[in-house]
Structure formats: structure tokens, C-alpha cells
């Protein structure tokens, strides 16, 4: 597999899966944009940037709420100006969730999840495309979820946003193929992050018993899939499930 040349933008990269994927992009030889949304996440983003630079790559830390289109436009423009080259990779990872039944959610709750998880992906993709379509090759990866494939109680809004990515991803793959830009999804199962730690331990244990591999994955497992997709020049329009066989 051949590396595509250019920098990477990884959203939601101040912690968790995003931070791990940002570091893997650096290990794979890409400069990286790391975003944050608050002062507390800025500190974490700067720590990730320091680690990227220790790997020999440049890092740009930018405040960007992906649910705000203007923030996304400003971040992609700043990245192009800072690195002085082309964008090769976009990993649309930023996401949030509620852990309530749909009936118990307020409309503000589920609208916020939709704005971040689905419209946020569309915003950053729309703003990134002009910097990726020169024909030299590009990779767009959206972070979906096993919840989007099989549904999940107390995550109806979250699952809806994650399944909504599939139609968007396939349509974009059809539109951007002529520019040699590939578009794929990663659908993680249970991965040990702060988001997972907030779940009911009894629910986690019950879910573990439903999958052939009876253990929780690590962020590195998702970074492995991302790295593969960024370099796999003949994989396009696919959902790569990283879930221990939980959903097949």
C-alpha cells in the first residue's frame, strides 16, 4: 500500500479514539490538525500536538465545533495556509451521545446529537473537499458505530446519526471517485474510551457475552483500521466493522 501525500484533519482529536488516530496519522507520516471545543479540551489537544511533533510531524491546534459550519470552514482554510500543501486525509470522528430513552430526551438533547454527529460530519466534509480533489488521492473516513448497524436502546438519537452516515458515505464515494478521493466508514463496537466507561457495567458484560471475541477493544484497534483505509487505494464506499464479531 502506498501513502497518500498531504496532511490529515482528525476531528474530536483531543482525546479518546480521535487522539489515537491523530497519533497514528503522524506515525504514518502525515502532519495533523487537532481540534478542540473548550479550554479544558484545548489543554488535551496541545498534549496530543506535542506527541505528534515528537513523532517528527507538524501539528496545528484549532478551536472548532464541527456543528458550526463557519468553524469548519475556518479550520480547513487555516490548515491549508499553515501546512502549505494539500489535505490528504479527513477523519470525521467528533461525536457525542445521550444515555436516555428517546421518550425521556428533550428535543434540545437529540437535536444537539444530530447537529454534532451527523451535521458535524457533513460540515467538515463539505469544507474539506476543495482541498482534496486535485486528483492526487485522498481518504475520507467517518466514524460510525455498531449502534448504527443494529440499533441500541437508550441511544436512539445516537444510532440514528450513525446509521445516517452510510447513505452519505456511499453517495460521496460515487461523487468523489473521479477525483481519486475514497470515502469509507469505520463502525466500532465496544472500545475502551471515556465514553464507554460511562455505560452500565452490567450492560457491558451482557454485550460481551454476545460477541465471539469476549473482550473490549482498544483505541489502537480503530487506529489500525483507519491506517489501513487511508492506504488501501481500492477500498471505497465500505463500512469496516471493528466490533469483535458482535454484529456481522
Amino acid at each position: 500500500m502506498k501513502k497518500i501525500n498531504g496532511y490529515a484533519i482528525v476531528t474530536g482529536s483531543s482525546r479518546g479514539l480521535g487522539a489515537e488516530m491523530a497519533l497514528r496519522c503522524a506515525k504514518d507520516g502525515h502532519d495533523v490538525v487537532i481540534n478542540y471545543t473548550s479550554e479544558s479540551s484545548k489543554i488535551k489537544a496541545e498534549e496530543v500536538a506535542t506527541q505528534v511533533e515528537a513523532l517528527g510531524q507538524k501539528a496545528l491546534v484549532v478551536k472548532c465545533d464541527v456543528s458550526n459550519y463557519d468553524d469548519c470552514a475556518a479550520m480547513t482554510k487555516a490548515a491549508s495556509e499553515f501546512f502549505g500543501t494539500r489535505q490528504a486525509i479527513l477523519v470525521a470522528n467528533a461525536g457525542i451521545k445521550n444515555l436516555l430513552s428517546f421518550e425521556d430526551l428533550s428535543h434540545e438533547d437529540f437535536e444537539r446529537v444530530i447537529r454534532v454527529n451527523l451535521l458535524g460530519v457533513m460540515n467538515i466534509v463539505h469544507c474539506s473537499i476543495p482541498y482534496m480533489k486535485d486528483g492526487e488521492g485522498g481518504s475520507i473516513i467517518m466514524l460510525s458505530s455498531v449502534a448504527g448497524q443494529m440499533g441500541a436502546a437508550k441511544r436512539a438519537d445516537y444510532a440514528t446519526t450513525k446509521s445516517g452516515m452510510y447513505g452519505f458515505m456511499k453517495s460521496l464515494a460515487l461523487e468523489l471517485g473521479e477525483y481519486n478521493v475514497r470515502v469509507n466508514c469505520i463502525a466500532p463496537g465496544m472500545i475502551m474510551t471515556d465514553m464507554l466507561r460511562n455505560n452500565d457495567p452490567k450492560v457491558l458484560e451482557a454485550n460481551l457475552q454476545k460477541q465471539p471475541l469476549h473482550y473490549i477493544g482498544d483505541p489502537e484497534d480503530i487506529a489500525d483500521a483507519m491506517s489501513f483505509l487511508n492506504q488501501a487505494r481500492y477500498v471505497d464506499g465500505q463500512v469496516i466493522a471493528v466490533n469483535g464479531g458482535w454484529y456481522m
Side-chain angles (χ1 to χ4, degrees):
M1 294 187 289
K2 184 179 179 181
K3 187 190 87 168
I4 46 178
N5 294 319
Y7 59 86
I9 293 178
V10 182
T11 66
S13 43
S14 65
R15 63 188 180 93
L17 296 182
E20 191 66 38
M21 289 187 287
L23 293 176
R24 182 61 62 87
C25 285
K27 290 176 183 177
D28 289 344
H30 300 282
D31 298 327
V32 187
V33 178
I34 300 149
N35 80 302
Y36 68 94
T37 57
S38 65
E39 287 305 308
S40 60
S41 62
K42 180 181 180 182
I43 295 171
K44 294 179 180 179
E46 289 173 342
E47 291 173 354
V48 176
T50 298
Q51 293 175 305
V52 166
E53 291 167 350
L55 291 167
Q57 300 300 138
K58 297 178 182 177
L60 175 65
V61 176
V62 180
K63 185 175 184 179
C64 174
D65 177 348
V66 295
S67 69
N68 183 309
Y69 185 88
D70 290 342
D71 277 11
C72 292
M75 181 167 68
T76 51
K77 183 175 185 292
S80 176
E81 294 173 348
F82 182 80
F83 294 120
T85 182
R86 64 185 305 275
Q87 183 177 341
I89 294 166
L90 169 64
V91 182
N93 165 74
I96 59 175
K97 70 168 65 170
N98 296 304
L99 292 173
L100 294 171
S101 67
F102 188 67
E103 181 181 11
D104 291 334
L105 291 171
S106 68
H107 72 273
E108 291 89 356
D109 288 335
F110 62 75
E111 284 180 0
R112 174 62 178 161
V113 168
I114 292 169
R115 284 197 302 271
V116 174
N117 292 10
L118 187 54
L119 291 180
V121 169
M122 299 177 81
N123 286 343
I124 191 60
V125 169
H126 192 263
C127 293
S128 292
I129 287 173
Y131 301 97
M132 301 181 73
K133 57 183 291 187
D134 58 6
E136 293 186 24
S139 172
I140 296 174
I141 298 173
M142 305 172 195
L143 266 290
S144 180
S145 169
V146 66
Q149 296 176 300
M150 61 188 290
K154 296 188 177 181
R155 295 168 183 78
D157 51 348
Y158 178 80
T160 298
T161 62
K162 296 302 185 178
S163 62
M165 289 181 188
Y166 301 142
F168 182 48
M169 176 267 291
K170 293 176 181 180
S171 299
L172 280 180
L174 293 170
E175 292 182 10
L176 298 178
E178 64 180 295
Y179 302 106
N180 198 24
V181 175
R182 296 173 297 103
V183 190
N184 295 284
C185 277
I186 297 174
M190 289 190 293
I191 305 296
M192 188 50 69
T193 63
D194 290 341
M195 188 177 286
L196 188 72
R197 292 185 184 96
N198 291 329
N199 285 261
D200 184 338
K202 292 181 180 179
V203 173
L204 295 182
E205 183 57 33
N207 289 337
L208 280 176
Q209 298 310 312
K210 296 175 183 177
Q211 64 182 47
L213 300 178
H214 301 300
Y215 64 88
I216 296 174
D218 293 320
E220 291 87 345
D221 296 316
I222 305 304
D224 287 344
M226 178 213 67
S227 182
F228 165 76
L229 286 174
N230 285 339
Q231 300 175 69
R233 66 189 185 96
Y234 206 50
V235 179
D236 194 18
Q238 303 301 313
V239 180
I240 305 300
V242 186
N243 63 30
W246 186 8
Y247 178 84
M248 301 185 189

